[in-house]
């Protein structure tokens, strides 16, 4: 399902309830211009909008379900399964070698990463950046997963997007590290060789204690649920955590690397 079909469903529901655009805006306390922008495809609906519209139009959650289905189809098809696991996770453990993890990126940092090399047209870049920003909402929900992020020191020194973009990214790391469910650790360059030099990964623990692993290569990412492979990565995680700076020492290093106060 694409977003155009969702818009048609909204219009049909509004017509069936005999509610105008202005009337819907009044019922859900959104501006008429926003409702018009959503119905003409100039603005993508949020989940909050869909929930409010369902309540106002008496559609029993249909618009919310359809929007969630449409959102699942956004981005590369190989990434869709992982998005589901990421949203369900009660615990996330991520390691990155040369970049700040996507869940911690600022919009301009994410745009620099996604647009590099000119591999995507501008519209696709915009969509992928928006999707990455939406994924980050899980860090701020009422019951967020417990997240631990391990970064090689290279990741906080590489000037992705230029020095100013990196500086603002470092500020974001300091802000997010204040969240109760987020911990950030850096594996210092002084550690020399370490178990993560082969590449990054994310381990997710689901509510039923099931564990899944996300790995990426140069072309695509994939989800792994093989216990043996997960066991190997968990041993790598333990080794990396042993090499990492404490949370306090990590924040001190990030502050030292920031140029602007």
């Amino acid at each position: 399902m694409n977003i155009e079909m969702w818009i048609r469903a909204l219009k049909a529901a509004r017509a069936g309830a005999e509610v105008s655009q202005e009337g819907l805006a009044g019922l859900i306390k959104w501006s008429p211009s926003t409702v018009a922008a959503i119905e003409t495809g100039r603005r993508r609906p949020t989940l909050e909008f869909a929930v409010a519209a369902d309540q106002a139009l008496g559609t029993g959650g249909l618009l919310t379900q359809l929007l969630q289905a449409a959102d699942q189809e956004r981005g590369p098809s190989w990434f869709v399964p992982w998005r589901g696991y990421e949203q369900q996770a009660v615990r996330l453990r991520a390691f990155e070698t040369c970049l700040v993890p996507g869940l911690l990126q600022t919009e301009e940092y994410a745009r620099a990463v996604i647009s590099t090399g000119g591999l995507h047209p501008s519209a696709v870049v915009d969509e992928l950046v928006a999707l990455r920003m939406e994924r980050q909402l899980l860090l701020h929900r009422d019951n967020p997963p417990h997240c631990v992020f391990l970064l090689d020191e290279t990741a906080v020194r590489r000037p992705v997007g230029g020095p100013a973009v990196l500086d603002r990214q470092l500020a974001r790391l300091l802000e997010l590290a204040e969240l109760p469910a987020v911990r950030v650790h850096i594996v210092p360059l002084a550690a020399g060789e370490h178990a993560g030099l082969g590449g990054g990964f994310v381990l997710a623990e689901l509510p039923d204690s099931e564990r899944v692993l996300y790995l990426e290569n140069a072309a695509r990412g994939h989800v792994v649920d093989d216990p043996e492979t997960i066991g190997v990565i968990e041993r790598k995680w333990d080794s990396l955590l042993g090499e990492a700076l404490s949370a306090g020492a990590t924040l001190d290093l990030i502050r030292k690397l920031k140029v602007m106060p």
Side-chain angles (χ1 to χ4, degrees), residues 28-240:
I28 64 176
K29 295 181 171 49
W30 287 53
S31 69
S33 61
T34 298
V35 176
I38 288 173
E39 287 203 356
T40 55
R42 291 181 288 111
R43 178 169 174 176
R44 190 175 184 88
T46 63
L47 192 59
E48 291 77 13
F49 181 93
V51 170
D54 272 328
Q55 293 173 346
L57 300 174
T59 44
L62 176 64
L63 294 172
T64 301
Q65 293 172 11
L66 291 177
L67 183 60
Q68 289 174 329
D71 281 345
Q72 283 295 315
E73 297 174 3
R74 297 169 68 196
S77 59
W78 48 260
F79 191 68
V80 171
W82 175 250
R83 287 182 59 201
Y85 289 123
E86 186 177 70
Q87 292 298 316
Q88 297 174 49
V90 296
R91 185 184 184 203
L92 290 169
R93 291 175 287 168
F95 170 71
E96 279 289 351
T97 55
C98 59
L99 291 172
V100 172
L103 288 176
L104 304 179
Q105 292 175 4
T106 64
E107 182 172 342
E108 57 186 349
Y109 186 102
R111 186 172 297 279
V113 171
I114 292 170
S115 63
T116 189
L119 301 178
H120 305 293
S122 59
V124 174
V125 170
D126 290 344
E127 178 70 3
L128 292 175
V129 170
L131 178 59
R132 185 161 297 181
M133 296 300 100
E134 290 171 19
R135 287 174 52 218
Q136 296 179 3
L137 294 175
L138 69 83
L139 299 178
H140 304 279
R141 66 193 188 196
D142 291 340
N143 293 299
H146 181 259
C147 299
V148 183
F149 297 94
L150 286 180
L151 288 69
D152 189 279
E153 188 176 335
T154 306
V156 292
R157 289 186 177 273
R158 185 180 300 278
V160 171
V165 172
L166 174 62
D167 203 64
R168 288 188 285 272
Q169 177 62 69
L170 296 178
R172 172 66 62 83
L173 289 178
L174 293 174
E175 293 172 5
L176 293 176
E178 296 296 323
L179 295 176
V182 174
R183 284 172 48 205
V184 179
H185 297 273
I186 288 175
V187 179
L189 292 175
E193 67 280 1
H194 58 67
L197 290 177
F201 55 83
V202 186
L203 286 159
E205 183 178 328
L206 306 180
D208 58 2
S209 297
E210 179 186 359
R211 296 168 301 161
V212 292
L213 167 68
Y214 180 70
L215 297 171
E216 279 190 354
N217 56 34
R220 57 180 295 154
H222 57 283
V223 176
V224 178
D225 58 5
D226 170 52
E228 183 175 352
T229 303
I230 291 174
V232 170
I233 296 299
E234 288 195 318
R235 290 194 293 276
K236 285 193 173 190
W237 173 267
D238 291 341
S239 176
L240 287 165

